[in-house]
Amino acid sequence: MHSISKKQIYPASIRLMDNDQLQFGLAIKPEKGLIERFTDNVKQIYITRLRGFNPTKLALCTLVFEGSTATVEKQQSETYTTAAEFGGIPAGEENGKNGYLLTFSIAYLRDLGMNYGFLAESFETSVPWDRVGDLVKNVKQRIFIVCRDIGVEQLPSFQRESHNVTTQERAATSTLVLEPPTCLTL
């Protein structure tokens, strides 16, 4: 993500989903039919065994590209080329749409969970790139300390970093598969 920013490639949105958020998203996916489950298993074998990604460290970037066809194609090409420099691979439009939807769903799940005694919150901030890792680590550490102090056994937290620029022309959504040290480790 830092390299994409340094190269001034500006997708309409780019959001990092760490492994905790990815696992949560997978856990709430709707039940699939036999053919879809088989296809997902083949994809999982490709990602984990053939490409060598560790499923416990896997992270995703959801991307939205907007603009003319030429602009979108240029941004996609530059983004995917940059991601490949760090071992990232495109994971397709469907995964991108699902990941993007998840980021909006989390707020509603938080509200629903509060009715059942679950505590959840999201944090939005701006921080220089060289401090992002420290920020995420420190926020998670502080959450766990406060939870311990008030008697909560464990409260998972999810983080995402995003960069948003909005235009109103064509939109395309995609996903990149990444693994530390390509992305943040928490």
Side-chain angles (χ1 to χ4, degrees):
M1 290 176 72
H2 187 207
S3 290
I4 289 170
S5 177
K6 283 179 71 173
K7 292 180 180 183
Q8 298 183 351
I9 305 167
Y10 296 120
S13 176
I14 180 169
R15 299 173 186 269
L16 176 64
M17 292 175 56
D18 70 5
N19 192 262
D20 290 335
Q21 189 173 2
L22 173 61
Q23 296 302 325
F24 176 71
L26 292 172
I28 64 170
K29 277 179 85 170
E31 186 75 22
K32 292 186 172 184
L34 182 62
I35 293 173
E36 291 87 1
R37 287 195 313 260
F38 174 77
T39 303
D40 283 351
N41 286 337
V42 170
K43 290 176 186 177
Q44 183 177 11
I45 290 168
Y46 173 75
I47 293 293
T48 59
R49 294 189 186 158
L50 298 178
R51 293 301 301 247
F53 286 97
N54 181 337
T56 64
K57 294 182 179 179
L58 199 63
L60 299 177
C61 285
T62 59
L63 300 146
V64 176
F65 300 97
E66 295 179 346
S68 67
T69 300
T71 299
V72 168
E73 288 173 356
K74 181 177 186 275
Q75 286 181 346
Q76 286 177 322
S77 175
E78 291 173 343
T79 301
Y80 299 155
T81 298
T82 302
E85 293 170 11
F86 298 92
I89 59 172
E93 186 174 357
E94 180 184 343
N95 289 321
K97 287 179 180 177
N98 291 339
Y100 201 73
L101 181 61
L102 176 63
T103 64
F104 289 106
S105 302
I106 287 173
Y108 297 105
L109 292 171
R110 175 194 63 209
D111 294 345
L112 176 66
M114 289 183 135
N115 292 332
Y116 296 94
F118 289 91
L119 177 63
E121 190 50 78
S122 61
F123 305 92
E124 303 270 340
T125 190
S126 178
V127 64
W129 279 107
D130 64 342
R131 303 293 304 180
V132 171
D134 291 335
L135 174 73
V136 173
K137 182 184 82 167
N138 292 339
V139 168
K140 279 193 167 193
Q141 183 179 36
R142 184 69 181 146
I143 288 170
F144 284 112
I145 288 169
V146 170
C147 287
R148 182 197 64 213
D149 291 350
I150 64 172
V152 175
E153 291 181 20
Q154 184 177 10
L155 177 68
S157 67
F158 307 107
Q159 57 87 23
R160 71 173 190 218
E161 292 78 37
S162 64
H163 171 79
N164 291 305
V165 176
T166 303
T167 63
Q168 295 301 320
E169 296 177 53
R170 182 170 175 259
T173 307
S174 188
T175 307
L176 292 171
V177 179
L178 309 166
E179 184 175 302
T182 304
C183 62
L184 301 175
T185 54
L186 304 174

